[in-house]
């Protein structure tokens, strides 16, 4: 009688996370709050992708319009100039439509946040899994390098880098690369710890005994069971990356004018908060909502991928 195939220890299934799309769909349908946040993410992503169309539908643009300003340079009317023609009001001193700034700023901020997260996650997964599975000197080198990078003040590095880069150098590309290179250690440490645990499971040992090489074990045995921590850390990294872009723009080394971004708009709005609080409210609200939505949906996907929660049954 043939022996039954080895089964992993309790809490981990080699097929628990193989169907990521179905897990995402289960997560989105898990409750009204998660569904609302998922819809919110879709709406903000659509706002960023079709910013030109939305701004055109509003009948405005990114061009200054001092006719919308009062004699002091502040928006004419109440609530920062909010009206049927200017849905979010206008920017002080320039009269630029704030909805146009927020829509185009969403594109910039999301591109930086998503791009940096993809780069950091890809590097972190490959480096973390290889360190946890191979061990030895490579594991020690990865751990030491990750500790050094986590303790390195990347803001100072970006300030110094911004001082030497040409003004016309693509800052968005620079932000994606720098934030991604400084972000991979957090992903790698989480993935490495999971890989160390999974490497001791029976189904991984069985794959090695049957002749599976490192690449087979990584793609067929380890990676499918790492989707849960990867999705969670990625969902938490996106708002963190957007916030880092905002911090760098506030310091003047992130996205430079005239390119709009939520971070630069928020940093500018701080100077007008006492006289025109609406200038800060809308970009800040969008940043808060996208942060909240990614966190909620990420947690729901984690529960759907984790067999111990019952979501992957």
């Amino acid at each position: 009688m043939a022996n039954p195939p080895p089964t992993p220890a309790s809490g981990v299934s080699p097929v628990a996370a193989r169907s990521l799309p179905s897990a995402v769909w289960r997560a989105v349908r898990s409750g009204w709050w998660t569904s609302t946040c998922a819809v919110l993410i879709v709406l903000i992503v659509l706002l960023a992708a079709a910013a030109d169309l939305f701004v055109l539908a509003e009948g405005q643009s990114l061009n200054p319009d001092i006719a919308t300003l009062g004699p002091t340079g502040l928006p004419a009317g109440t609530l920062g100039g909010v009206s049927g023609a200017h849905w979010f009001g206008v920017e002080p001193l320039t009269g630029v439509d704030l909805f146009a700034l927020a829509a185009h700023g969403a594109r910039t901020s999301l591109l930086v946040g998503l791009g940096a997260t993809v780069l950091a996650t890809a590097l972190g997964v490959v480096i973390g899994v290889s360190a946890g599975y191979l061990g030895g000197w490579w594991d020690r080198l990865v751990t030491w390098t990750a500790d050094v990078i986590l303790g390195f003040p990347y803001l100072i590095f970006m300030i110094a880098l911004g001082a030497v880069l040409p003004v016309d150098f693509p800052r968005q590309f620079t932000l994606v690369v720098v934030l991604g290179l400084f972000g991979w250690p957090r992903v790698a440490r989480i993935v490495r710890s999971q890989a160390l645990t999974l490497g001791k499971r029976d189904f991984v040992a069985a794959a090695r005994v049957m002749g599976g090489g490192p690449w087979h074990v990584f793609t067929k045995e380890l990676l499918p069971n790492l989707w849960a921590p990867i999705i969670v850390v990625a969902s938490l990294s996106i708002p963190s990356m957007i916030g880092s872009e905002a911090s760098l723009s506030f310091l003047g080394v992130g996205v430079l004018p005239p390119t709009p971004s939520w971070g630069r708009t928020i940093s500018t709005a701080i100077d007008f908060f006492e006289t025109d609080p609406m200038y800060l409210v809308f970009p800040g609200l969008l940043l808060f909502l996208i942060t909240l939505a990614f966190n909620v949906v990420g947690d729901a996907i984690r529960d759907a991928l984790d067999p111990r929660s019952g979501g992957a049954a």
Side-chain angles (χ1 to χ4, degrees), residues 119-134 138 142 184 187-188 191-192 195 215 218 223 226 230:
L119 178 59
T121 302
L123 291 175
V125 169
V126 173
I127 296 174
V129 170
S130 62
Y133 180 68
L134 299 177
W138 175 244
V142 168
W184 70 262
V187 182
V191 172
R192 171 186 172 274
W215 180 250
F218 169 68
L223 186 59
L226 290 171
I230 291 173

Side-chain angles (χ1 to χ4, degrees), residues 65-87:
D65 184 9
I66 60 174
T68 60
L69 302 176
T72 61
L74 295 176
T78 59
L79 299 177
V82 174
S83 64
H86 301 280
W87 299 344

Side-chain angles (χ1 to χ4, degrees), residues 146-161 178-179 181-183 186 244 248 251 253:
D147 291 339
V148 170
I149 294 179
L150 286 173
F152 191 85
Y154 75 93
L155 286 177
I156 296 178
F157 175 80
M158 276 298 300
I159 292 174
L161 185 62
V178 173
L179 292 176
L181 292 178
F182 278 97
R186 293 180 176 84
S244 296
L248 293 170
L251 295 173
V253 294

Side-chain angles (χ1 to χ4, degrees), residues 156-247:
I156 296 178
F157 175 80
M158 276 298 300
I159 292 174
L161 185 62
V164 299
L165 285 177
V167 177
D168 58 349
F169 194 84
R171 292 302 180 94
Q172 291 160 270
F173 175 78
T174 304
L175 286 173
V176 169
V177 172
V178 173
L179 292 176
L181 292 178
F182 278 97
W184 70 262
R186 293 180 176 84
V187 182
R189 294 181 70 174
I190 295 174
V191 172
R192 171 186 172 274
S193 64
Q194 295 294 320
L196 285 172
T197 302
L198 290 173
K200 301 176 183 178
R201 303 296 186 183
D202 293 341
F203 63 90
V204 176
R208 289 198 296 262
V209 170
M210 295 176 65
W215 180 250
H216 172 83
V217 174
F218 169 68
T219 58
K220 302 298 183 182
E221 307 299 337
L222 295 179
L223 186 59
N225 288 279
L226 290 171
W227 277 122
I230 291 173
I231 292 297
V232 172
V233 72
S235 66
L236 296 176
S237 295
I238 293 174
S240 175
M241 294 297 185
I242 295 175
S244 296
E245 180 270 325
S247 301

